[in-house]
Amino acid sequence: MDERTVITIGREFGSGGHEIGMKLAEKLGIKCYDKELLELAAKESGLCEELFASQDEKPTNSFLYSLVMDTYSLGYTNSYVDMPINHKVFLAQFDAIKKLAERESCVIVGRCADYALEDNPYAVSVFIKASLDERVQRIKRIYELNDSKAADLIQKTDKRRASYYNYYSSKKWGEAKSYNLCIDSGLVGIDGAIDMILKFIELKEKNIGKDI
């Protein structure tokens, strides 16, 4: 694998996306960033880490968003002046993801990382899904819930993640064309999903060559 490769993982709740990311990173000998990205973004931006935890992958309906992104596109990002907290947090994470990809090969779970790195030729974007039944069984086991509560938690978490992704990115959460590779972990399993990602990276690099 090219040492500049960064794998981003979007995931349905209960599909095993986090576990796949962790095991994939371990297999490749690189780091996996999920919640760890919040600490990194807080450190680099100077914002309080608690702000990142409170705003983590939560949607917003602020009409100021277009103005904020216009300001960002013009390069006025250092001070995050006069922005709502959720936008400050998002842009700090956005910057942290870009800087991280420049420094090291890694796996990044969630947080619109695929959008932040859509112009990075070494980024590979993956989305992990599974049937509702498969996900209910997994969430029941992990959180010790009954079927009804597990299904409700899945629905609410997926809705929150989709709203966040659709709001901040120019793409649609979970839609195939938004990603390089979509995998049903319920059909191929955790290890099978990892094998598919590794094979995809191998074929991609073979097809386009090491020097992009």
Side-chain angles (χ1 to χ4, degrees), residues 1 4-11 16-26 28 30-38 40-41 44 56-57 92-118 120 122-128 164-165 179 197 201:
M1 185 183 78
R4 294 161 291 189
T5 297
V6 175
I7 302 130
T8 67
I9 297 181
R11 70 286 185 224
H18 174 79
E19 183 180 352
I20 289 168
M22 293 293 292
K23 288 186 174 180
L24 176 63
E26 183 179 1
L28 292 171
I30 59 179
K31 292 182 180 179
C32 178
Y33 293 88
D34 190 340
K35 296 292 185 183
E36 298 83 357
L37 188 64
L38 306 182
L40 181 64
E44 293 187 352
D56 189 25
E57 290 192 307
Q93 285 188 132
F94 195 89
D95 285 340
I97 289 168
K98 283 183 168 292
K99 291 176 182 176
L100 186 60
E102 292 173 358
R103 291 198 302 265
E104 63 184 86
S105 177
C106 59
V107 177
I108 305 175
V109 179
R111 293 162 188 87
C112 296
D114 60 291
Y115 176 59
L117 301 177
E118 66 178 349
N120 184 326
Y122 303 102
V124 174
S125 59
V126 180
F127 189 82
I128 306 297
Y164 177 85
Y165 184 92
Y179 310 90
I197 295 169
I201 294 171

Side-chain angles (χ1 to χ4, degrees), residues 49-132:
E49 188 176 341
E50 284 72 20
L51 289 177
F52 288 83
S54 67
Q55 299 293 324
D56 189 25
E57 290 192 307
K58 292 182 179 177
T60 178
N61 293 314
S62 174
F63 70 93
L64 292 174
Y65 175 68
S66 59
L67 176 61
V68 169
M69 292 310 288
D70 283 345
T71 302
Y72 179 82
S73 67
L74 291 173
Y76 305 128
T77 61
N78 292 332
S79 61
Y80 304 111
V81 176
D82 297 328
M83 290 184 191
I85 289 296
N86 49 1
H87 292 147
K88 290 182 181 181
V89 168
F90 173 77
L91 292 180
Q93 285 188 132
F94 195 89
D95 285 340
I97 289 168
K98 283 183 168 292
K99 291 176 182 176
L100 186 60
E102 292 173 358
R103 291 198 302 265
E104 63 184 86
S105 177
C106 59
V107 177
I108 305 175
V109 179
R111 293 162 188 87
C112 296
D114 60 291
Y115 176 59
L117 301 177
E118 66 178 349
D119 295 325
N120 184 326
Y122 303 102
V124 174
S125 59
V126 180
F127 189 82
I128 306 297
K129 68 177 289 288
S131 70
L132 180 58

Side-chain angles (χ1 to χ4, degrees), residues 132-142 147 150:
L132 180 58
D133 287 343
E134 292 275 357
R135 293 188 288 144
V136 164
Q137 293 308 311
R138 182 181 181 86
I139 295 305
K140 279 175 60 180
R141 183 175 69 253
I142 294 173
D147 284 24

Side-chain angles (χ1 to χ4, degrees), residues 161-178:
R161 287 177 177 173
S163 296
Y164 177 85
Y165 184 92
N166 296 345
Y167 185 83
Y168 282 113
S169 83
S170 59
K171 303 185 289 183
K172 187 173 181 180
W173 185 81
E175 191 171 73
K177 67 180 180 180
S178 296

